Amino acid sequence: LGDVYKRQVENQSEDSRNLLQFANVYSLPSLVILSPDGRIITQNGVADINDRSEGALEYWKKTIDG
């Protein structure tokens, strides 16, 4: 994925609970895309992938870049 930053959090950890609350996630699985500075790009990552297929990553990058 090149320069795309990936981060995982441990299930049921304090970090995961904080992230779920921050992103307003109420059901799993969910895919929330965040910018490098922590802004929510989309809370509908799965739908973006279904709609845009391989173009989803470029769409998110363009959203971040403006």
Side-chain angles (χ1 to χ4, degrees), residues 8-64:
Q8 296 176 325
V9 292
E10 185 178 334
N11 190 27
Q12 301 298 320
S13 68
E14 183 177 350
D15 283 343
S16 71
R17 288 187 293 275
N18 290 339
L19 186 56
L20 291 173
Q21 184 177 22
F22 170 76
N24 297 313
V25 172
Y26 299 103
S27 65
L28 296 175
S30 292
L31 180 59
V32 177
I33 307 301
L34 303 174
S35 69
D37 65 0
R39 290 180 296 122
I40 294 176
I41 300 303
T42 183
Q43 292 177 287
N44 299 311
V46 173
D48 283 353
I49 291 170
N50 288 334
D51 294 343
R52 294 180 173 84
S53 188
E54 294 178 16
L57 181 60
E58 283 303 314
Y59 173 76
W60 298 327
K61 286 181 178 181
K62 287 179 185 175
T63 301
I64 291 170

